[in-house]
């Protein structure tokens, strides 16, 4: 298929001349569905990155164009989008968001010679079992995130009853399992471990069980919509149980679901890139355009930055040359200086604890 694409591209170049001077890249995530807030973050980051790169002269003198793919965090849809992008000659994808989408899509990208850098997929298998060398991420991993959360729970709630629940997805289960393992390795004993079904509106049966078991702390491996409903429904049943979760709560939509019931919720996320001085012009530009700079907007921006710098170093978008540049390079991004290890994981500061207060999240004061 790659040979056919190259032949088609060459023919089109002969027929249209300079029309093929642009380089098409893509971002793919949940642009629709219950996790669309994260797709919005990714799209905003990719658009701003392309605008800034083009304004500075492009990549090797060529302008970038953006293709936006919607996988709705569905693995089958993710594979279909990946195949579509391959057929359209896309050379780079900043995506996907959900690990359950990134992992199967990575097989397509590897087979088709497309570089993939995920801004958000944290499941260890994404890089531990990557199907080829062109798969990377600029975010952390669930085992890193789980280690921070698990140790925190063991150190601060040793005498409390702690339950772990997950949504059965690659992300949610992976995060809950990693956190539970770190918690137990630090001497903790879990009181309850359960799965729930994502997308439901009523978790009162689960909440009632938590209440009956006298759970003091609930760790949720899953996304903001379900976690928010659990927080709200716990308060409705008169529970003061603390909800703790991961990076999928880094969206204002969490508070929109919970209202005041979200007060005190804790979550892990990387150090807030919006606080980086180097990111200020990008944050200001996003906000001035009425777009979001929260969550994974800047991570997507950084993914595009790293790829663009590698292409400049390589002098082309040729797959092997860009991989060589990505593997050897040190990249200046809105996240700070970063490089990739032999697995394609990023070398950046790890996870920290955040707390929701008055409708906003910020670092937990300890």
């Amino acid at each position: 298929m790659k040979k056919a694409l190259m032949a088609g591209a060459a023919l089109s170049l002969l027929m249209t001349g300079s029309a093929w001077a642009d380089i098409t890249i893509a971002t793919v995530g949940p642009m629709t569905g219950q996790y669309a807030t994260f797709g919005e973050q990714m799209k905003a980051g990719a658009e701003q990155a392309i605008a800034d790169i083009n304004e500075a002269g492009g990549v090797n003198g060529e302008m970038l164009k953006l293709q936006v793919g919607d996988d709705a965090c569905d693995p089958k849809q993710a594979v279909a989008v990946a195949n579509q992008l391959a057929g359209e000659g896309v050379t780079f994808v900043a995506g996907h968001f959900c690990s359950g989408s990134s992992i199967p899509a990575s097989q397509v990208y590897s087979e088709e010679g497309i570089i993939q850098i995920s801004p958000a997929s944290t499941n260890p298998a994404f890089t531990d079992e990557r199907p080829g060398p062109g798969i990377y991420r600029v975010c952390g991993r669930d085992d890193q995130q789980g280690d921070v959360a698990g140790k925190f729970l063991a150190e601060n709630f040793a005498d409390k009853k702690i339950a772990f629940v997950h949504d059965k997805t690659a992300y949610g289960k992976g995060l809950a399992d990693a956190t539970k393992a770190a918690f137990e390795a630090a001497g903790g004993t879990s009181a309850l471990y359960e799965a729930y079904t994502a997308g439901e509106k009523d978790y009162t049966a689960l909440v009632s069980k938590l209440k009956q078991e006298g759970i003091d702390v609930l760790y949720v491996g899953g996304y903001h919509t379900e976690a928010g409903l659990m927080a709200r429904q716990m308060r409705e049943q008169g529970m003061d149980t603390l909800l703790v979760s991961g990076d999928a709560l880094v969206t204002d939509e969490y508070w929109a679901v919970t209202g005041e019931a979200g007060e005190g919720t804790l979550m892990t996320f990387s150090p807030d890139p919006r606080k980086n001085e180097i990111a200020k012009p990008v944050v200001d530009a996003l906000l001035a355009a009425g777009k979001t700079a929260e969550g994974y907007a800047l991570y997507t921006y950084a993914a595009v930055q790293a790829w663009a710098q590698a292409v400049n170093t390589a002098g082309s978008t040729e797959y092997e040359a860009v991989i060589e540049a990505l593997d050897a390079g040190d990249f200046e991004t809105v996240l700070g200086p970063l490089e990739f290890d032999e697995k394609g994981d990023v070398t950046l500061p790890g996870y920290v604890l955040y707390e929701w207060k008055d409708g906003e999240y910020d670092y937990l004061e300890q």
Side-chain angles (χ1 to χ4, degrees):
M1 183 173 181
K2 281 188 284 186
K3 290 182 179 179
L5 285 173
M6 292 172 65
L11 179 61
S12 295
L13 180 60
L14 289 173
M15 295 176 65
T16 62
S18 61
W20 272 75
D22 291 337
I23 302 172
T24 301
I25 67 173
T27 188
V28 186
M31 303 300 162
T32 59
Q34 62 180 332
Y35 308 133
T37 183
F38 298 110
E40 179 185 354
Q41 293 173 4
M42 295 172 67
K43 181 172 179 285
E47 287 176 340
Q48 190 61 49
I50 286 176
D52 292 344
I53 290 169
N54 285 344
E55 186 177 357
V59 177
N60 293 327
E62 295 180 284
M63 297 295 104
L64 300 181
K65 292 173 61 178
L66 182 65
Q67 183 94 329
V68 179
D70 178 20
D71 64 14
C73 274
D74 176 78
K76 291 182 180 179
Q77 191 165 325
V79 170
V81 171
N83 280 305
Q84 177 188 342
L85 295 175
E88 294 174 355
V90 168
T91 60
F92 163 65
V93 173
H96 299 211
F97 177 76
C98 291
S99 296
S101 292
S102 274
I103 291 171
S106 69
Q107 185 70 48
V108 177
Y109 298 135
S110 290
E111 291 172 357
E112 299 295 341
I114 298 171
I115 302 293
Q116 178 188 13
I117 304 179
S118 174
S121 294
T122 54
N123 189 290
F126 176 61
T127 50
D128 285 355
E129 302 170 16
R130 64 178 179 166
I135 308 300
Y136 304 84
R137 58 176 147 208
V138 291
C139 59
R141 298 162 49 108
D142 286 336
D143 45 3
Q144 298 169 333
Q145 186 170 192
D147 187 60
V148 171
K151 289 178 178 177
F152 172 82
L153 292 173
E155 291 169 2
N156 292 274
F157 302 99
D159 59 340
K160 303 296 183 182
K161 298 185 73 173
I162 301 180
F164 294 84
V165 298
H166 66 82
D167 63 2
K168 297 177 278 192
T169 66
Y171 165 72
K173 186 177 187 301
L175 181 57
D177 288 351
T179 304
K180 180 173 177 287
F183 170 69
E184 293 175 347
T189 301
S190 55
L192 189 68
Y193 177 77
E194 295 240 344
Y196 64 89
T197 301
E200 294 184 350
K201 301 299 182 185
D202 186 358
Y203 293 101
T204 52
L206 172 61
V207 170
S208 295
K209 185 171 185 178
L210 298 173
K211 185 176 183 179
Q212 183 179 354
E213 295 288 335
I215 299 300
D216 300 298
V217 180
L218 173 65
Y219 186 87
V220 179
Y223 294 88
H224 68 287
T225 46
E226 292 82 7
L229 289 171
M230 290 176 197
R232 197 174 74 198
Q233 290 165 18
M234 285 194 297
R235 299 298 177 263
E236 289 170 354
Q237 290 201 32
M239 300 171 63
D240 59 1
T241 300
L242 173 66
L243 191 143
V244 184
S245 190
D247 57 304
L249 268 61
V250 289
T251 167
D252 290 341
E253 280 194 4
Y254 176 71
W255 193 268
V257 175
T258 64
E260 293 183 0
E263 187 76 16
T265 294
L266 303 181
M267 64 180 181
T268 46
F269 185 49
S270 301
D272 193 340
R274 294 175 297 181
K275 298 180 183 292
N276 292 342
E277 187 62 30
I278 194 172
K280 189 177 186 305
V282 177
V283 172
D284 290 345
L286 285 167
L287 296 180
K291 298 179 180 180
T292 181
E294 72 171 349
Y296 286 98
L298 295 179
Y299 282 80
T300 308
Y301 189 105
V304 177
Q305 278 185 305
W307 172 83
Q309 290 171 34
V311 171
N312 277 328
T313 299
S316 78
T317 58
E318 197 271 329
Y319 184 63
E320 285 81 8
V322 177
I323 288 174
E324 184 177 348
L326 284 168
D327 288 347
D330 188 351
F331 307 100
E332 295 298 323
T333 75
V334 290
L335 304 179
L338 64 83
E339 57 188 58
F340 299 101
D341 67 16
E342 67 280 358
K343 289 183 178 181
D345 286 323
V346 73
T347 55
L348 280 173
Y351 289 87
V352 296
L353 268 294
Y354 290 77
E355 182 178 18
W356 278 93
K357 285 184 178 180
D358 299 322
E360 298 179 344
Y361 60 86
D362 205 344
Y363 298 137
L364 175 65
E365 297 180 7
Q366 296 182 0

Coordinates of all heavy atoms in Angstrom, one line a residue, residues 148 152 156-157 235 240-247 249-252 254-255 258-272 274-275 294 351-366:
V148 N 2.5 7.1 42.0 CA 2.4 8.3 42.8 C 1.1 8.2 43.6 O 1.1 8.5 44.8 CB 2.4 9.5 41.9 CG1 2.0 10.8 42.6 CG2 3.7 9.7 41.2
F152 N 0.7 7.7 47.7 CA 0.0 8.8 48.4 C -1.2 8.2 49.3 O -1.3 8.6 50.4 CB -0.6 9.8 47.4 CG -1.5 10.8 48.0 CD1 -0.9 11.9 48.6 CD2 -2.8 10.7 47.9 CE1 -1.8 12.9 49.2 CE2 -3.7 11.6 48.5 CZ -3.1 12.8 49.1
N156 N -1.2 8.5 53.4 CA -2.2 9.4 54.0 C -3.5 8.8 54.4 O -4.2 9.4 55.2 CB -2.5 10.5 52.9 CG -1.3 11.4 52.7 OD1 -1.1 12.4 53.4 ND2 -0.6 11.1 51.6
F157 N -3.8 7.6 54.0 CA -5.1 7.0 54.4 C -4.9 5.5 54.9 O -5.7 4.6 54.6 CB -6.0 7.0 53.2 CG -6.3 8.4 52.8 CD1 -5.6 8.9 51.6 CD2 -7.2 9.3 53.4 CE1 -5.9 10.2 51.2 CE2 -7.4 10.5 53.0 CZ -6.7 11.0 51.8
R235 N -22.6 12.0 47.4 CA -23.1 13.1 48.3 C -24.6 13.0 48.5 O -25.1 13.3 49.6 CB -22.7 14.4 47.7 CG -21.2 14.6 47.6 CD -20.5 14.6 48.9 NE -19.1 14.7 48.7 CZ -18.2 13.7 48.7 NH1 -18.7 12.5 48.9 NH2 -16.9 13.9 48.5
D240 N -19.5 11.1 52.8 CA -18.4 12.1 52.7 C -17.1 11.4 52.1 O -16.0 11.9 52.3 CB -18.1 12.8 54.0 CG -17.7 11.8 55.1 OD1 -17.6 10.6 54.8 OD2 -17.5 12.2 56.2
T241 N -17.3 10.3 51.4 CA -16.2 9.5 50.9 C -15.4 10.4 49.9 O -15.9 11.1 49.1 CB -16.7 8.3 50.1 OG1 -17.4 7.5 51.0 CG2 -15.6 7.5 49.5
L242 N -14.1 10.4 50.0 CA -13.2 11.1 49.1 C -13.0 10.4 47.8 O -12.7 9.2 47.8 CB -11.8 11.3 49.8 CG -10.7 11.9 49.0 CD1 -11.0 13.4 48.7 CD2 -9.3 11.8 49.7
L243 N -13.1 11.1 46.7 CA -12.9 10.5 45.4 C -11.5 10.9 44.9 O -11.2 12.1 44.9 CB -14.0 10.9 44.4 CG -14.0 10.2 43.1 CD1 -15.4 10.0 42.6 CD2 -13.1 10.9 42.0
V244 N -10.8 9.9 44.5 CA -9.4 10.1 43.9 C -9.4 9.5 42.5 O -9.9 8.4 42.4 CB -8.3 9.5 44.8 CG1 -6.9 9.8 44.3 CG2 -8.5 10.0 46.3
S245 N -8.8 10.1 41.6 CA -8.7 9.6 40.2 C -7.4 10.0 39.5 O -6.5 10.5 40.2 CB -10.0 9.9 39.5 OG -10.0 9.2 38.2
G246 N -7.4 9.9 38.2 CA -6.2 10.2 37.4 C -6.4 11.4 36.5 O -7.3 12.2 36.6
D247 N -5.6 11.4 35.4 CA -5.5 12.6 34.5 C -6.8 12.8 33.7 O -6.9 13.8 33.0 CB -4.3 12.4 33.7 CG -4.3 11.1 32.9 OD1 -4.4 10.1 33.5 OD2 -4.2 11.2 31.6
L249 N -9.5 13.5 34.6 CA -10.4 14.5 35.3 C -9.9 15.9 35.0 O -10.4 16.9 35.6 CB -10.5 14.3 36.8 CG -11.6 13.4 37.3 CD1 -11.5 12.0 36.7 CD2 -11.6 13.3 38.8
V250 N -8.9 16.1 34.1 CA -8.4 17.4 33.9 C -9.2 18.1 32.8 O -8.7 18.5 31.8 CB -6.9 17.4 33.5 CG1 -6.0 17.0 34.6 CG2 -6.7 16.4 32.3
T251 N -10.4 18.4 33.2 CA -11.3 19.1 32.3 C -12.4 19.8 33.2 O -12.9 19.2 34.2 CB -12.0 18.2 31.3 OG1 -13.1 18.9 30.7 CG2 -12.6 16.9 31.9
D252 N -12.8 21.0 32.8 CA -13.8 21.7 33.6 C -15.1 21.0 33.5 O -16.0 21.3 34.4 CB -13.9 23.2 33.0 CG -12.7 24.0 33.3 OD1 -12.0 23.7 34.2 OD2 -12.5 25.1 32.6
Y254 N -15.7 18.1 34.5 CA -15.8 17.4 35.7 C -16.7 18.1 36.7 O -17.7 17.6 37.3 CB -14.5 17.0 36.3 CG -14.6 16.3 37.6 CD1 -15.1 15.0 37.7 CD2 -14.3 16.9 38.9 CE1 -15.2 14.3 38.9 CE2 -14.5 16.2 40.1 CZ -14.9 14.9 40.1 OH -15.1 14.3 41.3
W255 N -16.4 19.4 36.9 CA -17.2 20.2 37.8 C -18.6 20.5 37.3 O -19.5 20.6 38.1 CB -16.4 21.5 38.1 CG -17.0 22.3 39.3 CD1 -18.0 23.3 39.2 CD2 -16.6 22.1 40.6 NE1 -18.2 23.7 40.5 CE2 -17.4 23.0 41.4 CE3 -15.7 21.3 41.3 CZ2 -17.3 23.1 42.8 CZ3 -15.6 21.4 42.7 CH2 -16.4 22.3 43.4
T258 N -20.4 17.5 38.6 CA -20.5 17.3 40.0 C -21.1 18.5 40.8 O -21.8 18.3 41.7 CB -19.1 17.1 40.7 OG1 -18.3 18.3 40.5 CG2 -18.4 15.9 40.0
G259 N -20.8 19.7 40.3 CA -21.2 20.9 41.1 C -20.4 20.8 42.4 O -19.2 20.3 42.4
E260 N -20.9 21.3 43.4 CA -20.2 21.3 44.7 C -19.8 20.0 45.2 O -18.9 19.8 46.1 CB -21.0 22.1 45.8 CG -21.2 23.5 45.5 CD -22.0 24.3 46.6 OE1 -22.4 23.6 47.5 OE2 -22.2 25.5 46.4
A261 N -20.4 18.9 44.7 CA -20.1 17.5 45.1 C -18.7 17.2 44.7 O -18.1 16.3 45.3 CB -21.0 16.5 44.5
G262 N -18.1 18.0 43.8 CA -16.7 17.7 43.4 C -15.7 18.3 44.2 O -14.5 18.1 44.1
E263 N -16.1 19.1 45.2 CA -15.2 19.8 46.1 C -14.3 18.8 46.8 O -14.8 17.8 47.4 CB -15.9 20.6 47.2 CG -15.1 21.5 48.0 CD -14.6 22.8 47.3 OE1 -15.1 23.1 46.3 OE2 -13.6 23.4 47.9
G264 N -13.0 19.0 46.8 CA -12.0 18.1 47.5 C -11.6 16.9 46.7 O -10.7 16.2 47.1
T265 N -12.2 16.7 45.5 CA -11.7 15.6 44.7 C -10.2 15.7 44.4 O -9.7 16.8 44.0 CB -12.5 15.5 43.3 OG1 -13.8 15.2 43.6 CG2 -11.9 14.4 42.4
L266 N -9.5 14.6 44.4 CA -8.1 14.6 44.1 C -7.8 13.8 42.8 O -8.5 12.9 42.5 CB -7.3 13.9 45.3 CG -7.4 14.5 46.7 CD1 -6.6 13.8 47.7 CD2 -7.1 16.0 46.7
M267 N -6.7 14.3 42.1 CA -6.4 13.5 40.9 C -4.9 13.7 40.6 O -4.3 14.7 41.1 CB -7.2 14.1 39.7 CG -6.9 15.5 39.4 SD -7.9 16.1 38.0 CE -7.3 17.8 37.8
T268 N -4.3 12.8 39.9 CA -3.0 12.9 39.4 C -2.9 13.4 38.0 O -3.7 13.1 37.2 CB -2.2 11.6 39.5 OG1 -3.1 10.5 38.9 CG2 -1.9 11.2 40.9
F269 N -1.9 14.3 37.7 CA -1.7 14.8 36.4 C -0.2 15.3 36.4 O 0.3 15.5 37.5 CB -2.7 15.9 36.1 CG -2.5 16.4 34.6 CD1 -2.5 15.5 33.6 CD2 -2.5 17.8 34.4 CE1 -2.4 16.0 32.3 CE2 -2.4 18.3 33.1 CZ -2.4 17.4 32.0
S270 N 0.3 15.4 35.2 CA 1.7 16.0 35.1 C 1.7 17.4 35.6 O 0.6 18.1 35.7 CB 2.2 15.9 33.7 OG 2.2 14.6 33.3
P271 N 2.9 18.0 36.0 CA 2.9 19.4 36.3 C 2.2 20.2 35.2 O 2.5 20.0 34.0 CB 4.4 19.7 36.4 CG 5.0 18.4 36.8 CD 4.2 17.3 36.1
D272 N 1.4 21.2 35.7 CA 0.5 21.9 34.7 C 1.4 22.7 33.7 O 2.1 23.7 34.1 CB -0.3 22.9 35.6 CG -1.4 23.5 34.7 OD1 -1.3 23.5 33.5 OD2 -2.4 24.0 35.3
R274 N 0.6 24.8 31.6 CA 0.1 26.2 31.5 C 1.0 27.2 32.4 O 1.0 28.4 32.2 CB -1.3 26.4 31.9 CG -2.3 25.7 30.9 CD -3.7 25.8 31.3 NE -3.9 25.1 32.6 CZ -5.1 25.0 33.2 NH1 -6.2 25.6 32.7 NH2 -5.2 24.4 34.4
K275 N 1.6 26.6 33.4 CA 2.4 27.4 34.3 C 3.9 27.6 33.8 O 4.7 28.3 34.4 CB 2.4 26.7 35.7 CG 1.1 26.6 36.3 CD 1.1 26.0 37.7 CE -0.3 25.8 38.4 NZ -0.9 27.1 38.7
E294 N -6.4 24.0 28.6 CA -6.3 23.0 29.7 C -6.0 21.6 29.2 O -6.0 21.3 28.0 CB -7.6 23.0 30.5 CG -8.8 22.4 29.8 CD -10.0 22.2 30.7 OE1 -9.9 22.4 31.9 OE2 -11.0 21.8 30.2
Y351 N 4.3 12.7 37.8 CA 2.9 13.1 38.2 C 2.9 13.8 39.6 O 3.8 13.5 40.4 CB 2.0 11.9 38.2 CG 1.7 11.4 36.8 CD1 2.5 10.5 36.2 CD2 0.6 11.9 36.1 CE1 2.2 10.0 34.9 CE2 0.3 11.5 34.8 CZ 1.1 10.5 34.2 OH 0.9 10.1 32.9
V352 N 2.0 14.7 39.7 CA 1.7 15.3 41.0 C 0.2 15.3 41.3 O -0.6 14.9 40.5 CB 2.2 16.8 41.0 CG1 3.7 16.9 40.8 CG2 1.5 17.6 39.9
L353 N -0.1 15.6 42.6 CA -1.5 15.6 43.0 C -2.1 16.9 42.8 O -1.5 18.0 43.1 CB -1.6 15.2 44.5 CG -1.8 13.7 44.8 CD1 -3.1 13.2 44.3 CD2 -0.6 12.8 44.3
Y354 N -3.4 16.9 42.4 CA -4.2 18.1 42.2 C -5.4 18.0 43.1 O -5.9 16.8 43.4 CB -4.6 18.3 40.8 CG -3.5 18.7 39.8 CD1 -2.6 17.8 39.3 CD2 -3.4 20.0 39.4 CE1 -1.6 18.2 38.5 CE2 -2.4 20.4 38.5 CZ -1.6 19.5 38.0 OH -0.6 19.8 37.1
E355 N -6.0 19.1 43.4 CA -7.3 19.1 44.2 C -8.3 20.0 43.5 O -7.9 21.2 43.1 CB -7.1 19.6 45.6 CG -8.3 19.5 46.5 CD -8.1 19.9 47.9 OE1 -7.0 20.5 48.2 OE2 -8.9 19.6 48.8
W356 N -9.6 19.6 43.4 CA -10.6 20.4 42.9 C -11.2 21.3 44.0 O -11.6 20.8 45.1 CB -11.8 19.6 42.3 CG -11.5 19.1 40.9 CD1 -10.9 17.9 40.6 CD2 -11.8 19.8 39.7 NE1 -10.9 17.9 39.2 CE2 -11.4 19.0 38.7 CE3 -12.4 21.1 39.5 CZ2 -11.6 19.4 37.3 CZ3 -12.6 21.4 38.1 CH2 -12.2 20.6 37.1
K357 N -11.2 22.6 43.8 CA -11.7 23.6 44.8 C -12.5 24.7 44.0 O -11.9 25.2 43.1 CB -10.6 24.2 45.6 CG -10.0 23.4 46.7 CD -9.0 24.2 47.5 CE -8.4 23.4 48.6 NZ -7.4 24.3 49.4
D358 N -13.7 25.0 44.4 CA -14.5 26.1 43.9 C -14.5 26.0 42.4 O -14.4 27.1 41.7 CB -13.9 27.4 44.4 CG -14.0 27.6 45.9 OD1 -15.0 27.1 46.5 OD2 -13.0 28.1 46.4
G359 N -14.7 24.9 41.8 CA -14.8 24.7 40.4 C -13.5 24.8 39.6 O -13.5 24.8 38.3
E360 N -12.4 24.7 40.2 CA -11.1 24.8 39.6 C -10.2 23.7 40.2 O -10.3 23.3 41.3 CB -10.4 26.1 39.6 CG -11.2 27.2 39.0 CD -10.6 28.6 39.1 OE1 -9.6 28.7 39.9 OE2 -10.9 29.5 38.4
Y361 N -9.1 23.3 39.4 CA -8.2 22.4 40.0 C -6.8 23.0 40.0 O -6.4 23.8 39.1 CB -8.1 21.1 39.2 CG -7.7 21.2 37.8 CD1 -6.4 21.2 37.3 CD2 -8.7 21.3 36.8 CE1 -6.1 21.2 36.0 CE2 -8.4 21.3 35.4 CZ -7.1 21.3 35.0 OH -6.7 21.4 33.7
D362 N -6.0 22.7 41.1 CA -4.7 23.2 41.2 C -3.9 22.3 42.1 O -4.5 21.3 42.6 CB -4.7 24.6 41.8 CG -3.4 25.4 41.4 OD1 -2.4 24.8 41.0 OD2 -3.4 26.7 41.6
Y363 N -2.6 22.5 42.2 CA -1.8 21.6 43.0 C -2.3 21.4 44.4 O -2.8 22.4 45.0 CB -0.3 22.1 43.0 CG 0.4 22.2 41.7 CD1 1.1 23.3 41.4 CD2 0.2 21.2 40.8 CE1 1.8 23.4 40.2 CE2 0.9 21.2 39.5 CZ 1.7 22.3 39.3 OH 2.3 22.4 38.0
L364 N -2.3 20.2 44.9 CA -2.7 19.9 46.3 C -1.7 20.5 47.2 O -0.5 20.2 47.1 CB -2.8 18.4 46.5 CG -3.1 17.9 47.9 CD1 -4.5 18.4 48.3 CD2 -3.0 16.4 48.0
E365 N -2.1 21.3 48.2 CA -1.3 21.8 49.2 C -1.1 20.8 50.3 O -2.1 20.3 50.9 CB -1.9 23.1 49.8 CG -2.0 24.2 48.7 CD -2.6 25.5 49.3 OE1 -2.8 25.5 50.5 OE2 -2.8 26.4 48.5
Q366 N 0.2 20.4 50.5 CA 0.4 19.4 51.5 C 1.3 19.9 52.6 O 2.1 20.8 52.4 CB 1.1 18.2 50.9 CG 0.2 17.5 49.9 CD 0.9 16.2 49.3 OE1 2.0 15.9 49.6 NE2 0.2 15.6 48.4

